Amino acid sequence: MADKITMGADGKLVVPNNPTIPFIEGDGIGPDIWKASVRVFDAAIKKAYSGEKKIKWKEVLAGEKAFKNSGNWMPEATMEAFKEYLISIKGPLTTPVGGGIRSLNVALRQELDLYVCLRPVKYFEGTPSPMWQPEKVNMTIFRENTEDIYAGIEFMTGTPENKKLLDFLINEMNVKNIRFPETTSLGVKPVSKEGTERLIRAAIQHAIKHKLPSVTIVHKGNIMKFTEGAFKNWGYELAEREFAGEVYTWQQWERTKKKDGEAVANEEMKISAAGGKVIIKDAIADNFLQQALLAPQDYSVIATLNLNGDYISDALAAQVGGIGIAPGANINYITGHAVFEATHGTAPRFADTNTMNPSSVILSGVMMLEYMGWRDAADLITNAVGKAIRNKTVTIDFFNLMKDATLLKTSEFADEIIQNL
């Protein structure tokens, strides 16, 4: 009998052997890649647990399929199912153009308060990459999901709301540097201490749990001192206050290093001073994007705000094979709610062609199984995907970039992974 996943009083998920998990197959290529992915999930779970565990899949509607059925892009029943069952998974969704809600994905994140966008980026041996040494990239990005400019607080020039805010800034706040007020649209960038702390807390807990070397707070605090700069400072303060004895921060180094003419310490000295603790450091966003290319091995867990995280996660994915195989999740670690998702778009011109790579959904499912505590099944899938890529038995995206590869359809790629289990 299927049952619901719940959050226990101890703050840990309670996962029955036969949980019901809602899914949205997605728009465009969504149905093709979901059909392939769900077969992989079921086969891996069956093999790992000898039939003792099984997911009961519950389809819910959103996007074009929902709109055609009900005239609603995100039916209330779908949102209620995501709330009720805690964990869900989805394919890519179309964002309605020219009206309606801004983004179905943003709506889910805001409604469920999914404050962490989790994006692990790791190289699978043999994956085509523009990088010389892509295997050096192994990072997990904790992107704040509910604040920053993605809060959607903006006003179009010429509207009464924009004029009211503009007048307030100029006349009440004495703002002088709005260069062209008559044609300026305005946006507000909220960054809170609470939002910062829960995001960075989750990143540090992840690093400690998985014995990872560092957490890097990526920010643009040199320019936006009271939003992104505060994000950095609040992160350091939280680390020292809540994780004393488990972490070592670069700010601690700055306070304790010798003052007798010592040159600026290099990173090796700071690592030595940390004595095996998780290092908490920071990087300005533009410099981080450079260093992610030049020295990716120096970075492990990344904690950053919404817009920076959007750029960083896609840029890092490109280094290890592209967004087509990049998994993602949106999580609230306090309530337990989590939506696992393909990170790419709907690619409507390839709909119903059975040609696209399902790896983004498959690897998002791996993240889901890990979150549920079903690591044996997750590891089986990860290893099987890796074997398929090493064997050059791949879909068209990789086939076009490999020599002597075997071209597989979406469904055949799923067969290959299942065989590799």
Side-chain angles (χ1 to χ4, degrees), residues 286-321:
D286 45 302
N287 182 53
F288 172 78
L289 286 167
Q290 177 183 230
Q291 293 303 316
L293 293 169
L294 297 175
Q297 70 277 5
D298 290 346
Y299 301 93
S300 180
V301 178
I302 309 302
T304 191
L305 284 163
N306 216 321
L307 184 61
N308 292 332
D310 203 356
Y311 297 148
I312 288 167
S313 55
D314 280 20
L316 288 176
Q319 293 180 223
V320 299

Short mmCIF file of all heavy atoms in Angstrom, two decimals, residues 286-321:
data_model
loop_
_atom_site.label_atom_id
_atom_site.label_comp_id
_atom_site.label_asym_id
_atom_site.label_seq_id
_atom_site.Cartn_x
_atom_site.Cartn_y
_atom_site.Cartn_z
N ASP A 286 32.37 37.96 -10.33
CA ASP A 286 33.08 37.97 -11.62
C ASP A 286 34.41 37.24 -11.52
O ASP A 286 34.81 36.49 -12.42
CB ASP A 286 33.27 39.40 -12.14
CG ASP A 286 33.73 40.37 -11.08
OD1 ASP A 286 33.02 40.52 -10.06
OD2 ASP A 286 34.79 40.99 -11.26
N ASN A 287 35.11 37.40 -10.38
CA ASN A 287 36.37 36.69 -10.19
C ASN A 287 36.13 35.19 -10.05
O ASN A 287 36.91 34.37 -10.56
CB ASN A 287 37.10 37.22 -8.96
CG ASN A 287 38.44 36.54 -8.75
OD1 ASN A 287 39.26 36.48 -9.65
ND2 ASN A 287 38.63 35.99 -7.57
N PHE A 288 35.02 34.83 -9.38
CA PHE A 288 34.72 33.40 -9.23
C PHE A 288 34.52 32.74 -10.59
O PHE A 288 35.00 31.62 -10.83
CB PHE A 288 33.47 33.18 -8.37
CG PHE A 288 33.04 31.74 -8.36
CD1 PHE A 288 33.70 30.81 -7.59
CD2 PHE A 288 32.00 31.30 -9.19
CE1 PHE A 288 33.33 29.47 -7.61
CE2 PHE A 288 31.63 29.97 -9.22
CZ PHE A 288 32.30 29.05 -8.43
N LEU A 289 33.80 33.41 -11.50
CA LEU A 289 33.57 32.82 -12.82
C LEU A 289 34.88 32.62 -13.57
O LEU A 289 35.04 31.66 -14.33
CB LEU A 289 32.61 33.70 -13.63
CG LEU A 289 31.15 33.61 -13.19
CD1 LEU A 289 30.32 34.72 -13.82
CD2 LEU A 289 30.55 32.25 -13.52
N GLN A 290 35.85 33.50 -13.33
CA GLN A 290 37.18 33.31 -13.91
C GLN A 290 37.89 32.13 -13.26
O GLN A 290 38.43 31.25 -13.93
CB GLN A 290 38.01 34.58 -13.74
CG GLN A 290 39.43 34.43 -14.25
CD GLN A 290 40.27 35.68 -14.02
OE1 GLN A 290 40.92 36.15 -14.93
NE2 GLN A 290 40.27 36.19 -12.80
N GLN A 291 37.87 32.10 -11.93
CA GLN A 291 38.57 31.03 -11.22
C GLN A 291 37.95 29.66 -11.46
O GLN A 291 38.64 28.64 -11.41
CB GLN A 291 38.59 31.33 -9.71
CG GLN A 291 39.42 32.54 -9.32
CD GLN A 291 40.86 32.42 -9.78
OE1 GLN A 291 41.49 31.38 -9.64
NE2 GLN A 291 41.39 33.49 -10.36
N ALA A 292 36.64 29.63 -11.72
CA ALA A 292 35.98 28.36 -12.01
C ALA A 292 36.51 27.73 -13.29
O ALA A 292 36.42 26.51 -13.49
CB ALA A 292 34.46 28.56 -12.11
N LEU A 293 37.05 28.56 -14.18
CA LEU A 293 37.70 28.07 -15.39
C LEU A 293 39.17 27.75 -15.14
O LEU A 293 39.69 26.74 -15.64
CB LEU A 293 37.59 29.09 -16.52
CG LEU A 293 36.19 29.36 -17.07
CD1 LEU A 293 36.21 30.57 -17.99
CD2 LEU A 293 35.66 28.14 -17.82
N LEU A 294 39.85 28.61 -14.38
CA LEU A 294 41.30 28.46 -14.20
C LEU A 294 41.67 27.45 -13.12
O LEU A 294 42.66 26.73 -13.27
CB LEU A 294 41.90 29.83 -13.84
CG LEU A 294 41.78 30.93 -14.89
CD1 LEU A 294 42.31 32.25 -14.33
CD2 LEU A 294 42.54 30.54 -16.15
N ALA A 295 40.89 27.39 -12.06
CA ALA A 295 41.24 26.51 -10.93
C ALA A 295 39.99 25.93 -10.27
O ALA A 295 39.73 26.16 -9.08
CB ALA A 295 42.07 27.29 -9.91
N PRO A 296 39.17 25.20 -11.02
CA PRO A 296 37.91 24.69 -10.45
C PRO A 296 38.11 23.75 -9.27
O PRO A 296 37.23 23.62 -8.42
CB PRO A 296 37.25 23.96 -11.63
CG PRO A 296 38.37 23.64 -12.56
CD PRO A 296 39.35 24.77 -12.41
N GLN A 297 39.29 23.13 -9.20
CA GLN A 297 39.56 22.18 -8.10
C GLN A 297 39.61 22.88 -6.74
O GLN A 297 39.55 22.21 -5.70
CB GLN A 297 40.87 21.44 -8.35
CG GLN A 297 42.13 22.27 -8.24
CD GLN A 297 42.48 23.06 -9.49
OE1 GLN A 297 41.72 23.05 -10.46
NE2 GLN A 297 43.63 23.72 -9.48
N ASP A 298 39.70 24.21 -6.72
CA ASP A 298 39.76 24.95 -5.46
C ASP A 298 38.38 25.21 -4.84
O ASP A 298 38.30 25.80 -3.76
CB ASP A 298 40.45 26.30 -5.67
CG ASP A 298 41.95 26.16 -5.96
OD1 ASP A 298 42.48 25.05 -5.75
OD2 ASP A 298 42.55 27.14 -6.42
N TYR A 299 37.34 24.78 -5.51
CA TYR A 299 35.98 25.09 -5.05
C TYR A 299 35.15 23.82 -4.93
O TYR A 299 35.22 22.93 -5.77
CB TYR A 299 35.31 26.09 -6.00
CG TYR A 299 36.09 27.38 -6.11
CD1 TYR A 299 37.04 27.56 -7.11
CD2 TYR A 299 35.90 28.38 -5.17
CE1 TYR A 299 37.78 28.74 -7.17
CE2 TYR A 299 36.63 29.55 -5.24
CZ TYR A 299 37.57 29.73 -6.24
OH TYR A 299 38.31 30.88 -6.30
N SER A 300 34.35 23.77 -3.88
CA SER A 300 33.58 22.57 -3.59
C SER A 300 32.09 22.88 -3.45
O SER A 300 31.30 22.58 -4.33
CB SER A 300 34.11 21.91 -2.32
OG SER A 300 33.39 20.75 -2.01
N VAL A 301 31.69 23.53 -2.36
CA VAL A 301 30.30 23.95 -2.17
C VAL A 301 30.23 25.47 -2.38
O VAL A 301 31.06 26.21 -1.85
CB VAL A 301 29.79 23.59 -0.76
CG1 VAL A 301 28.36 24.08 -0.55
CG2 VAL A 301 29.87 22.07 -0.54
N ILE A 302 29.25 25.91 -3.16
CA ILE A 302 29.07 27.32 -3.47
C ILE A 302 27.75 27.78 -2.86
O ILE A 302 26.72 27.13 -3.05
CB ILE A 302 29.03 27.56 -4.99
CG1 ILE A 302 30.23 26.92 -5.69
CG2 ILE A 302 28.90 29.05 -5.30
CD1 ILE A 302 31.57 27.40 -5.21
N ALA A 303 27.78 28.90 -2.11
CA ALA A 303 26.56 29.50 -1.58
C ALA A 303 26.44 30.90 -2.18
O ALA A 303 27.34 31.72 -2.03
CB ALA A 303 26.61 29.58 -0.06
N THR A 304 25.32 31.16 -2.84
CA THR A 304 25.22 32.44 -3.54
C THR A 304 23.76 32.87 -3.68
O THR A 304 22.84 32.08 -3.44
CB THR A 304 25.91 32.35 -4.92
OG1 THR A 304 26.02 33.65 -5.49
CG2 THR A 304 25.14 31.44 -5.87
N LEU A 305 23.57 34.12 -4.07
CA LEU A 305 22.23 34.66 -4.26
C LEU A 305 21.64 34.23 -5.60
O LEU A 305 22.31 33.57 -6.42
CB LEU A 305 22.26 36.19 -4.15
CG LEU A 305 22.39 36.71 -2.71
CD1 LEU A 305 22.82 38.16 -2.68
CD2 LEU A 305 21.06 36.54 -1.96
N ASN A 306 20.39 34.62 -5.83
CA ASN A 306 19.61 34.07 -6.92
C ASN A 306 20.18 34.34 -8.32
O ASN A 306 20.36 33.41 -9.11
CB ASN A 306 18.18 34.63 -6.82
CG ASN A 306 17.13 33.63 -7.22
OD1 ASN A 306 17.32 32.87 -8.16
ND2 ASN A 306 16.02 33.61 -6.51
N LEU A 307 20.46 35.59 -8.63
CA LEU A 307 20.92 35.91 -9.98
C LEU A 307 22.32 35.35 -10.24
O LEU A 307 22.57 34.73 -11.28
CB LEU A 307 20.90 37.42 -10.20
CG LEU A 307 21.29 37.88 -11.61
CD1 LEU A 307 20.33 37.32 -12.66
CD2 LEU A 307 21.34 39.40 -11.70
N ASN A 308 23.24 35.55 -9.28
CA ASN A 308 24.57 34.96 -9.42
C ASN A 308 24.48 33.45 -9.63
O ASN A 308 25.19 32.87 -10.45
CB ASN A 308 25.42 35.22 -8.17
CG ASN A 308 25.78 36.68 -8.00
OD1 ASN A 308 25.87 37.43 -8.96
ND2 ASN A 308 25.98 37.09 -6.75
N GLY A 309 23.61 32.82 -8.85
CA GLY A 309 23.46 31.36 -8.92
C GLY A 309 22.95 30.90 -10.26
O GLY A 309 23.31 29.82 -10.75
N ASP A 310 22.10 31.71 -10.89
CA ASP A 310 21.58 31.38 -12.21
C ASP A 310 22.72 31.34 -13.22
O ASP A 310 22.87 30.39 -14.00
CB ASP A 310 20.54 32.43 -12.62
CG ASP A 310 19.56 31.91 -13.66
OD1 ASP A 310 19.73 30.77 -14.13
OD2 ASP A 310 18.63 32.64 -13.99
N TYR A 311 23.54 32.37 -13.22
CA TYR A 311 24.69 32.41 -14.14
C TYR A 311 25.66 31.27 -13.86
O TYR A 311 26.12 30.57 -14.76
CB TYR A 311 25.45 33.74 -13.98
CG TYR A 311 24.67 34.99 -14.31
CD1 TYR A 311 24.93 36.18 -13.64
CD2 TYR A 311 23.69 35.00 -15.30
CE1 TYR A 311 24.24 37.35 -13.94
CE2 TYR A 311 22.99 36.17 -15.60
CZ TYR A 311 23.27 37.33 -14.91
OH TYR A 311 22.59 38.47 -15.22
N ILE A 312 26.02 31.14 -12.58
CA ILE A 312 27.07 30.19 -12.20
C ILE A 312 26.68 28.76 -12.52
O ILE A 312 27.48 27.99 -13.05
CB ILE A 312 27.39 30.35 -10.70
CG1 ILE A 312 28.14 31.67 -10.46
CG2 ILE A 312 28.20 29.18 -10.17
CD1 ILE A 312 28.22 32.07 -8.99
N SER A 313 25.43 28.37 -12.20
CA SER A 313 25.04 26.98 -12.39
C SER A 313 25.05 26.58 -13.87
O SER A 313 25.50 25.49 -14.22
CB SER A 313 23.66 26.71 -11.77
OG SER A 313 22.69 27.60 -12.27
N ASP A 314 24.62 27.49 -14.74
CA ASP A 314 24.65 27.17 -16.17
C ASP A 314 26.07 27.18 -16.73
O ASP A 314 26.43 26.35 -17.57
CB ASP A 314 23.77 28.15 -16.95
CG ASP A 314 22.29 27.79 -16.86
OD1 ASP A 314 21.93 27.06 -15.93
OD2 ASP A 314 21.51 28.25 -17.71
N ALA A 315 26.89 28.13 -16.26
CA ALA A 315 28.27 28.20 -16.73
C ALA A 315 29.05 26.95 -16.33
O ALA A 315 29.79 26.36 -17.13
CB ALA A 315 28.95 29.45 -16.18
N LEU A 316 28.88 26.50 -15.09
CA LEU A 316 29.57 25.30 -14.63
C LEU A 316 29.05 24.06 -15.36
O LEU A 316 29.83 23.16 -15.70
CB LEU A 316 29.41 25.13 -13.13
CG LEU A 316 30.18 26.11 -12.24
CD1 LEU A 316 29.85 25.89 -10.78
CD2 LEU A 316 31.68 25.98 -12.45
N ALA A 317 27.74 24.02 -15.61
CA ALA A 317 27.18 22.87 -16.34
C ALA A 317 27.81 22.77 -17.73
O ALA A 317 28.09 21.67 -18.21
CB ALA A 317 25.66 23.02 -16.45
N ALA A 318 28.06 23.92 -18.36
CA ALA A 318 28.67 23.90 -19.69
C ALA A 318 30.07 23.30 -19.66
O ALA A 318 30.51 22.68 -20.63
CB ALA A 318 28.74 25.33 -20.25
N GLN A 319 30.76 23.45 -18.54
CA GLN A 319 32.11 22.92 -18.42
C GLN A 319 32.14 21.39 -18.39
O GLN A 319 33.16 20.78 -18.72
CB GLN A 319 32.80 23.48 -17.17
CG GLN A 319 33.06 24.97 -17.23
CD GLN A 319 33.73 25.52 -15.97
OE1 GLN A 319 33.38 26.55 -15.47
NE2 GLN A 319 34.72 24.79 -15.47
N VAL A 320 31.04 20.77 -17.97
CA VAL A 320 31.04 19.31 -17.83
C VAL A 320 30.09 18.62 -18.81
O VAL A 320 29.74 17.46 -18.63
CB VAL A 320 30.70 18.89 -16.38
CG1 VAL A 320 31.74 19.42 -15.41
CG2 VAL A 320 29.30 19.35 -15.98
N GLY A 321 29.65 19.34 -19.85
CA GLY A 321 28.84 18.67 -20.86
C GLY A 321 27.54 19.35 -21.21
O GLY A 321 26.83 18.90 -22.11
#
